[in-house]
Amino acid sequence: LHTWNFNVEARPGNGGCTFVNNTSNNFGGAIFAEGTSTLQLDNVTISGNGSDSADKGGAIFGYGGNVSFDIKTININQTVAKTSGGAIHLQDGSTCKFNNATITDCTSKGNGGGISISNNASLDITSGKINNNHANGGSGGGVYASASKFTMTNGEINNNTASLHGGGVWFANNVDNASAKTFSFGGGSISNNTSGGFGGGVCIYTGSVGGSSFSLTGGSINGNRAEVGGGIYLNGWNAYTVNLYNTNVESNNAYLGGGVLVYNCGLNYKNGFIRHNKANKREGITAPKTMFNTNHSQYVNSADVVNTELSGIGGGIYATNGTVKFDLTDKKFGLYSNLADYGADDIFSTPSSASANATMQLPTPNDMDIIDGFEVPKTSLFWAEDYVEGDLNFDKKPDNAGAGPNKRYRTLLYERSEELGKAKFVPDTYQNNYIMAALGYNFVYGIIKKSGMNNGETAIIDIYEGELTTTEGRTPLYRVALTADGTGTAEKHILLHPGTWTVIESKWSWTYNGTAQSAQSNDVRTISGQPAIVRSLIDTSSQALRTFSFTNTKKNNITPNSEAIKQNTFK
């Protein structure tokens, strides 16, 4: 179908229509609209069109500012284009409203596996599905938008692939006279997409031309993969700021910036989660010696390409050369539980060179909305230093960072190091500093020791939060079972948050005379007839203060049968 200065309607009341296995040598495997044309398509199926012959728009091609499409309940599948728009290509001002329509299994050998729009074109998606499409020779597996207007509300862009950038969406601005140039994502899902370069879910690569605006104001960007910027890649060429509001970035993967990578761009983030993302190590590449003044990309043959010498940095956010701000006014933001194989589990920030500028606003952990398995009180959370092991530029960290050792935060955890409490960043706005951070929490490694038991005997230690005078009506927060070894002693380590704790030997071991031992004379008590230790701890407490020791003496007037019954009942 070729329309020029003509209107077309295909509606359910008219029986709808089907386009199957059509080809074009140039544009639009099924439909080519130009001039002044309006096409209203409802209950339409376009399948198997394009083959290798349609240059642009395997199913539909729109050309010119007076061409508009109103597409509803349409199914486009298995269409192919040689250069752009496996299903639809719009350019030079043409517009398309896309409501409750589906584009699946379409392919471009260049850009835009599903849809491609360029030079002031406009695409408005409401509750549509752009899934399982492929840009085999270019960018934008689901949607490729260049110097145009792209708006999405409550739709799906899932399971698409791009051999270059933007597995789900590629948005660029490189035309001076293009007037639209906006990207708005207002809900829905951009998930499980893959790119071979920048931005598994979304790649915004503005170029230096001004006049664009960007906002992501709801929905989820989950499960995407890329070389860098697993969920979102932002390159604003020092001209733009992206607003990311009410949007969750979760479970994405990349070698750098598992969740979000920010480069030469501003980012304002409010009301959403950046969590469970991962920066993976690259096979054959060891941990970098430093990440200070480094860059994720290299400029080769007039194009940015991935710097493959780096990997495993910035599980949540990787930021160089820009300003990253977090608005915690509503306290509905969380940045946590991200992982990086080599450093900076949650946040990485540095200028890429001595002449560049990078600003990172570390949010106050107490104001973050921490859920899903975080039982640590918010007051115990802090930003911990998480540098590459043996970093050669560890001394470049900010002056108001802690005095912790040059080790990863997880290493300090594993070693149960007393240096943990020293490895802290103060929440602040850092400019041109070297930040590698993980969300940490103040805690105390408590040590429970029990001696004086016969080999194989078991004692129970109850641990209560706060200072107790009686156990009546109280339930212990933890209960630790200690079984004596061949020396008659037992020891276990427990994780406590800073505060006051009451540790009591349970009454079940009634045939023993229990005695509490302490490093302080005033913290041994008898509570409800049992030996107890009450102690206030902080994250830097010494090992002596973190150790709760109890010893027993076997009573002389024992009734063996009663004791045996008691022990068997417990088991």
Side-chain angles (χ1 to χ4, degrees):
L1 174 64
H2 177 209
T3 70
W4 183 67
N5 295 335
F6 196 76
N7 297 333
V8 175
E9 291 188 19
R11 298 185 178 277
N14 298 329
C17 63
T18 301
F19 297 82
V20 179
N21 298 330
N22 300 286
T23 61
S24 168
N25 289 328
N26 291 300
F27 309 124
I31 299 172
F32 176 15
E34 59 180 331
T36 301
S37 299
T38 299
L39 291 88
Q40 296 176 309
L41 307 178
D42 196 349
N43 193 26
V44 173
T45 297
I46 303 177
S47 179
N49 296 271
S51 186
D52 289 335
S53 56
D55 188 49
K56 297 180 179 180
I60 296 172
F61 179 86
Y63 176 79
N66 295 315
V67 173
S68 65
F69 293 87
D70 187 356
I71 299 177
K72 300 177 182 177
T73 319
I74 187 172
N75 181 15
I76 302 176
N77 63 83
Q78 299 180 2
T79 60
V80 180
K82 286 192 294 186
T83 62
S84 60
I88 298 173
H89 178 85
L90 309 172
Q91 71 178 60
D92 297 332
S94 56
T95 65
C96 178
K97 291 183 178 181
F98 191 87
N99 192 337
N100 195 30
T102 301
I103 295 177
T104 59
D105 301 311
C106 298
T107 303
S108 168
K109 296 185 177 182
N111 298 318
I115 298 176
S116 172
I117 60 176
S118 63
N119 195 17
N120 279 327
S122 176
L123 174 64
D124 189 340
I125 298 175
T126 302
S127 301
K129 295 181 179 180
I130 303 175
N131 298 340
N132 301 303
N133 304 287
H134 311 285
N136 286 339
S139 300
V143 175
Y144 177 93
S146 174
S148 296
K149 179 181 180 181
F150 174 42
T151 302
M152 175 177 169
T153 306
N154 298 325
E156 292 181 10
I157 301 179
N158 298 342
N159 300 302
N160 303 283
T161 65
S163 60
L164 293 180
H165 314 304
V169 176
W170 160 276
F171 188 95
N173 172 34
N174 53 6
V175 179
D176 281 307
N177 63 352
S179 59
K181 298 182 296 190
T182 62
F183 175 36
S184 177
F185 172 61
S189 171
I190 301 177
S191 300
N192 301 316
N193 303 285
T194 303
S195 82
F198 305 147
V202 176
C203 179
I204 296 178
Y205 193 95
T206 66
S208 59
V209 179
S212 294
S213 64
F214 312 94
S215 62
L216 290 81
T217 56
S220 59
I221 299 176
N222 299 339
N224 303 285
R225 300 181 65 90
E227 290 275 301
V228 297
I232 303 173
Y233 177 90
L234 305 175
N235 185 343
W237 284 68
N238 294 317
Y240 292 102
T241 295
V242 175
N243 295 320
L244 193 57
Y245 299 156
N246 302 301
T247 301
N248 294 332
V249 181
E250 303 178 270
S251 303
N252 303 283
N253 282 267
Y255 293 119
L256 299 173
V260 182
L261 190 143
V262 182
Y263 178 61
N264 287 335
C265 187
L267 172 64
N268 294 331
Y269 206 128
K270 180 178 181 180
N271 293 1
F273 293 103
I274 301 175
R275 59 186 180 184
H276 310 315
N277 303 286
K278 189 170 188 293
N280 302 303
K281 62 182 179 181
R282 193 185 294 272
E283 285 296 324
I285 301 298
T286 58
K289 295 180 179 179
T290 184
M291 290 297 295
F292 180 67
N293 282 4
T294 59
N295 202 341
H296 71 282
S297 65
Q298 298 172 325
Y299 203 59
V300 179
N301 297 325
S302 299
D304 281 328
V305 298
V306 173
N307 182 353
T308 57
E309 296 180 358
L310 301 176
S311 66
I313 302 294
I317 292 180
Y318 180 112
T320 55
N321 307 356
T323 299
V324 179
K325 295 181 179 180
F326 301 98
D327 186 341
L328 275 61
T329 303
D330 298 335
K331 297 188 178 182
K332 295 180 180 179
F333 171 78
L335 174 57
Y336 62 95
S337 290
N338 301 287
L339 292 174
D341 282 339
Y342 290 140
D345 275 342
D346 290 306
I347 296 176
F348 170 79
S349 177
T350 185
S352 63
S353 66
S355 60
N357 291 303
T359 301
M360 173 61 68
Q361 179 197 60
L362 282 183
T364 303
N366 293 358
D367 292 334
M368 294 202 304
D369 192 5
I370 305 296
I371 61 173
D372 290 353
F374 265 82
E375 298 179 359
V376 178
K378 290 184 181 180
T379 54
S380 294
L381 298 173
F382 66 91
W383 291 112
E385 298 170 17
D386 194 35
Y387 290 88
V388 176
E389 294 278 344
D391 197 313
L392 297 180
N393 282 291
F394 184 69
D395 60 316
K396 301 297 194 303
K397 67 179 183 177
D399 291 339
N400 60 346
N406 182 4
K407 290 183 177 181
R408 293 210 61 185
Y409 179 65
R410 65 176 66 173
T411 301
L412 298 178
L413 288 173
Y414 178 77
E415 294 176 347
R416 301 171 183 172
S417 172
E418 295 188 14
E419 302 289 335
L420 275 164
K422 300 177 182 179
K424 296 181 181 180
F425 287 109
V426 177
D428 201 351
T429 298
Y430 293 91
Q431 186 170 7
N432 296 336
N433 285 124
Y434 186 26
I435 305 291
M436 298 185 76
L439 186 65
Y441 43 95
N442 293 313
F443 65 90
V444 179
Y445 271 117
I447 303 171
I448 308 297
K449 286 187 174 182
K450 179 75 173 178
S451 60
M453 296 185 292
N454 293 329
N455 185 35
E457 292 178 337
T458 300
I460 300 298
I461 306 296
D462 289 336
I463 302 171
Y464 298 83
E465 188 172 8
E467 181 175 356
L468 270 64
T469 57
T470 178
T471 59
E472 187 71 26
R474 296 294 300 268
T475 301
L477 187 63
Y478 305 107
R479 173 163 283 180
V480 178
L482 298 171
T483 300
D485 58 16
T487 65
T489 63
E491 178 179 314
K492 283 194 175 180
H493 292 202
I494 56 173
L495 198 63
L496 306 173
H497 61 77
T500 300
W501 296 91
T502 299
V503 180
I504 303 176
E505 184 170 0
S506 172
K507 289 183 177 181
W508 89 276
S509 51
W510 59 278
T511 61
Y512 291 86
N513 287 321
T515 303
Q517 299 174 330
S518 176
Q520 297 183 157
S521 60
N522 62 345
D523 58 8
V524 174
R525 316 278 175 85
T526 298
I527 299 176
S528 299
Q530 292 298 109
I533 299 173
V534 179
R535 191 173 293 162
S536 295
L537 302 173
I538 60 175
D539 54 342
T540 55
S541 292
S542 67
Q543 180 170 327
L545 290 178
R546 291 184 284 110
T547 302
F548 298 82
S549 297
F550 296 85
T551 187
N552 285 331
T553 303
K554 197 83 166 182
K555 285 186 176 182
N556 293 323
N557 53 343
I558 300 173
T559 304
N561 291 337
S562 299
E563 183 174 339
I565 293 171
K566 187 73 173 180
Q567 290 179 342
N568 288 335
T569 301
F570 174 76
K571 293 177 181 179

